[in-house]
Amino acid sequence: MALRHFGAAAAFAVMVGMTASPALAVTEIQWWHAMTGANNDVIVKLATDFNASQTDYKVIPTYKGNYPDTMNAGIAAFRAGNAPHIMQVFEVGTATMMAATGAVKPVYKLMAEAGEKFDPKNYLSAITGYYSTSKGEMLSFPFNSSSTVMWVNLDELKKANVEIPKTWPETFAAAKKLHDNGHPTCGFSGSWITWVNLEQLSAWHNVPLASKANGLDGFDTVLEFNGPLQVKHLEKLVELQKDKTYDYAGRTNTGEGRFTSGECPIYLTSSAFFGNVKAQAKFAFNAVPMPYYPDVKGAPQNSIIGGASLWVMGGKSADEYKGVAKFLTFLSDTDRQVYIHKASGYLPITKAAYEKAKAEGFYKDQPYLETPLLELTNKEPTENSRGLRLGNMVQLRDVWSEEIEQALAGKKTAKQALDAAVERGNTMLRQFEKTAVK
Amino acid sequence: MQKQAIFQSKLLPYALVAPQLAIVLIFFYWPALQAVIQSFLLQDAFGLSTTFVWFENYVELFRDPAYFEAIVRTFLFSFAIAVSSLSFALLLAVMADKPLRGSMLYRTLLIWPYAVAPPVVGVLWIFMLHPSLGVLSRYLRAVGIDWNPLLDGDQAAALIILAAAWKQISYNFLFFLAGLQAIPKSVFEAAAIDGARPMRRFWTVTFPLLSPTIFFLLVVNIVYAFFDTFGIIDTMTRGGPGTSTVTLVYKVYSDGLLGGNLGSSAAQSVILMVMVIVLTGIQFRFVERKVTY
């Protein structure tokens, strides 16, 4: 599948290469990405359209594997002195990219130097907040964003006579009922255990995950997610794991098939799961906001994003940067954002595009595509819900998952596990702080 | 007696070994040296800031109890993988060596798993034994086993060992079969005439005559289990649940490639390198004595 699309992209690149007249000194812009399937088609179309819209620049998209592969390929290319111009990096890599001063060209600087019209206020702050400094300077360009939602199997809920739950206590009760009525192996579950049950949980309840605005204000941040809310939540999961009212489905999204197959009627994961649900689910479904604890004051707050953004790499010529800036402006266009939103299921990044999709009645048939937007814009983001910027995030998540798994397996209590996750994580953050470019 | 008859030139032998030497230097010694250098450095992923930290990366490792657990785990895994894949391959080879109808077909089929890439092996076994996706998991649960390698560390470890050993069986099988076929039939006939039964013939004739092959495969299998299993671990368990399937080489891979912590990763690979050198040394020093060529 991926290969086929890669072939298409390559063929396209060759085709464009042949038709471009050599007299016109076209500046090439390399764009490395990690999109497969329908989303790869979107990328190829965006590049084709941009190339057709003017004659000075040519964007060449290249598929480089999954998110970590693409990032590693970019880092290796940078070390070898031929980095691409634009690199798609998943949100987890943000701190690593940000720490690499000199290796990247901040988007706000790029746009200013190239003289492109650019107002960060046009973009949804819940999305750009993740990729901006605390001063609001946008470092990378948001491309594909998603958020955590709760997917529900409406047929099964109806069968068990369960209302769609809004709060966590309701969710636990609903799962219990479902568990006793035809779902003995899984009342509810979810993917990306740390993203959903630590990172989103904390933001959604306006509780810090780490100090210094979750790391956005500096690399000397310390983890703080072993507080009462997170401990209580994990304790509940551990308790429900015992009889599989909740059933752990792995660290990544390999367990998502359990929802589409009908095994788990309630499943918390990314809103980007929609393509698969739509293609595979043989039941009525919806995606609703994440549950919250009603006893936490102010909850729910707003959710944070997942997905990836486009980083512009450093050390390129002014002319090349001009082309990159033009391309980013091209991507920001309202109609184009609406197209990306509809074709990929990822969120629109500008306010205008969201309004336009709403006005078109796009969410009437597909309410689950608006849910993540409603969550992200639920309230004005706070220090605790603007985003995360923690170094070594891939490794951090693995360490947190390890500890949560120990708790779920009954080897540690929830409190012990989260304390250990915080302690081990802090050691890694100090290590990252040492290597970060001052 | 003529001692040096053919090669008159003093340079020619050097010229002839030069390409091989160059390959060894460029592809083995140079990266190894790089790893040693890198292990003394603290560097960000992009290589923009580098600090020389002496042995800090090593000290950090030995301060971490999880690292010792990984060492012990790696030895247990390697032992289990080597023993199970060697013994099973030997059994299959002995059976395929018999004059059977269609033995060529069996032999070909048995070699297939070796051609499969480690991550594909992982995916293959996941489809069979994933707690909810797996075909076999249903049967396991039906007979009352609470099969859940996502949370049960011992089950996850068993899964990794099974998949890793399965992949290596064909390689071992190939060598065992060749070894068996190289044993002259007359030896068996003589033993049979003397009245030795099949089991006795196997242990007193076949096994000792196979010992060079077994020894060779033992070394190869240990090296395989040490170095080549991270792809399987990455696709099947990602080191979890907890840290119950984190082996040394997976730690090198996840810290270095996934985590961008190059200094620690390099230090770990240097330690791993030393370990395998020592291990191989021990094998040749002590185990090889029992081998009759």
Side-chain angles (χ1 to χ4, degrees), chain B residues 19-34:
Chain B
Q20 177 67 26
L21 270 180
I23 287 171
V24 168
L25 282 175
I26 293 168
F27 290 103
F28 294 94
Y29 287 93
W30 178 243
L33 185 72
Q34 288 268 311

Side-chain angles (χ1 to χ4, degrees), chain A residues 72 75 78-79 97 100-101 103 241 248-252 258 263 392 394-395 402 405 408-409 431 434-435 437, chain B residues 42-49 56 132-133 146 148 150-151 238-243 254-255 257-259 261-262:
Chain A
N72 286 327
I75 290 173
F78 177 82
R79 291 180 81 121
M97 297 300 292
T101 319
Q241 171 71 52
Y248 177 60
R251 291 178 190 182
T252 62
R258 303 178 76 176
E263 189 197 355
N392 288 340
V394 181
Q395 263 190 311
E402 280 170 21
E405 282 166 355
L408 290 173
Q431 167 106 24
K434 264 190 271 178
T435 57
V437 184
Chain B
L42 202 57
Q43 199 178 48
D44 72 301
F46 285 89
L48 293 166
S49 79
E56 200 178 294
S132 57
L133 301 174
D146 184 18
N148 189 4
L150 283 180
L151 282 180
R238 307 193 83 198
T243 50
S254 70
D255 286 359
L257 209 68
L258 301 179
N261 190 348
L262 298 176

Side-chain angles (χ1 to χ4, degrees), chain A residues 223 225-226 418-428:
Chain A
L223 301 172
F225 57 76
N226 51 351
L418 289 183
D419 284 347
V422 163
E423 199 193 309
R424 290 176 62 191
N426 281 336
T427 314
M428 288 160 67

